[in-house]
Amino acid sequence: MRTGRQFISKTSSWPKVVARKWLNIPNKADEFHSDYVLQASHKLQRRRRSCSDDNCYVVVPEDFSVFSKEGWLMKKEPSSNSVIHDHLNLRTFVGTWNVGGMAPHGGLNLRDWLKSPTPADIYVIGFQEIVPLNAGNVLGAEDKGPAGQWISLIREALNDNEFEPSDYNKQGRMSFSDLLSLEEDVKDEVEVGPRYRLAASKQMVGIFLCVWVRSDLCSLISNLKVSCVGTGLMGYLGNKGSVSISMSLSGTSFCFVCTHLTSGEKEGDEVKRNSDVMEILKKTRFNSSSSTSSPSSGESSSPPQTILEHDKMIWLGDLNYRLVAGSSGDCETHELLNKHDWEALVEKDQLRIQQGGGRVFQGWEEGPIDFAPTYKYIANSDHYVAQTSNKSKHKQRTPAWCDRILWKGEGVKQMWYGRGESKFSDHRPVYALFSVQIDSKRHNSSTTSNSTTRLRPRPMPLVAGTGVAKVQAEELLPAVNSSSSSRF
């Protein structure tokens, strides 16, 4: 139970926090969390950057490939006219879930939701309402406790024995460790660290987005940035809006947008949702600087600053689009629902109607929906609220596909689109599996010979949970400096 002293401590900071939110002043401590953060730069910055710097990145020499498959710190010597051209297909899992303002409990099993037909290389997990959308959370300081709990559960699920790295080789897929021509003569080394690491996570009130990648891909990630847009109360508070994460992987730019749009099923509410999408596309900005380009990964131009400038874009979240009632009212909808006639029911979907009319998400794609509507369920039940009597304490809601995943960009193919069956909240989680083609190009112009030199095994320092970038910088840089100070 919250004590009076705890309540006073939290509310005493409200005037300052509320003023900053009302005036739309960015928070100085508005950084993202990560297990590691890489800034693509060919020079090592000797000083330890603080979180107040413009870009909170851990800086690693570009000719170091941290965390090879065997857990070694690898040093790559560049060569003249060395160019590697490979089109690689990365499997990307995307999941979204509105958890209804409830913090997770220790016994909550995420494996059924996160377990895709085949293990993925990247996991993009978005939540809505990880905290109750009350005045204290919307206007006051953010409650980051639930986010930490979700991170712990996801970390445990992804690094469970069910996600074996050997599964990738069984399917004949090329790994980036193979791409880097790692030698196979050392067999007695134990793999260091977990198989999946948190690339970045960001919270805005109840919206929470996190991106996880295979450990052996971390050295190919650059230009990690976040951007938050509020479209809720007063038009800009964070009870509704978006959290976006931008990153580049081997020269291919990705943007993941997690949103919670305007709710309601009154006539005209869909127009407000369309407006939310337009505002998010307009206001999302990823500030760039000249120091964030990545020559070795083939990035010849500055990083994208808007959502639509990225090569690959995935939009996920509780979009809140509902089903349009037919001429006979909701009776027809319920009849189709009982028959499991999803194809006919999708024709009533507001998002499909609005998109078909060119009013929103032009050029974006969504896979066929062949699963039941994901909202609104009675918690801990398989029954929709609409199936209860009028005397129920629950507010009546027509079932709808509120939770959606869309994409845009060439070389993105959806392999799976479905929903989980957890009864934790009044929404069912949704997931999609994508095959994403990237062009792996690394250009070097040095005249030295091309070789791969092993250094002594050194695990990259890792803080359990969600450490901020400053902590990771202070732990990682000394490890790199100890092996490279003579050159840099």
Side-chain angles (χ1 to χ4, degrees), residues 361-374:
F361 284 118
Q362 297 184 51
W364 292 74
E365 299 181 66
E366 183 184 21
I369 298 176
D370 57 1
F371 51 88
T374 57

Side-chain angles (χ1 to χ4, degrees), residues 9 14 49 100 125 145 191 225 260 268 274 312 328 332 377 400 405 417 426-427 466:
S9 175
W14 278 18
R49 304 192 61 160
I125 312 297
E191 185 176 349
K225 299 182 180 71
H260 193 185
N274 295 350
K312 325 287 184 184
S328 57
E332 182 181 357
Y377 282 91
I405 299 172
Y417 194 23
D426 56 355
H427 289 250
T466 55

Side-chain angles (χ1 to χ4, degrees), residues 92-158:
T92 302
F93 177 97
V94 181
T96 179
W97 196 6
N98 184 319
V99 293
M102 294 187 294
H105 52 77
L108 184 61
N109 185 4
L110 300 183
R111 292 179 181 85
D112 291 339
W113 175 35
L114 301 180
K115 184 178 179 181
S116 58
T118 182
D121 303 292
I122 301 173
Y123 285 83
V124 181
I125 312 297
F127 295 92
Q128 303 80 45
E129 295 191 50
I130 64 168
V131 297
L133 301 184
N134 53 38
N137 287 321
V138 175
L139 299 178
E142 287 179 348
D143 180 2
K144 298 185 180 297
Q149 293 175 278
W150 286 113
I151 285 290
S152 296
L153 286 173
I154 295 171
R155 189 188 303 279
E156 179 183 356
L158 292 185

Side-chain angles (χ1 to χ4, degrees), residues 76-85 179-181 295-298 440-452:
K76 289 281 293 178
E77 294 292 347
S79 64
S80 58
N81 301 321
S82 171
V83 182
I84 299 177
H85 293 276
L179 183 63
L180 293 174
S181 301
S296 68
S297 61
S440 175
K441 297 179 181 179
R442 290 185 302 281
H443 302 267
N444 293 288
S445 58
S446 282
T447 58
T448 57
S449 62
N450 185 24
S451 64
T452 301

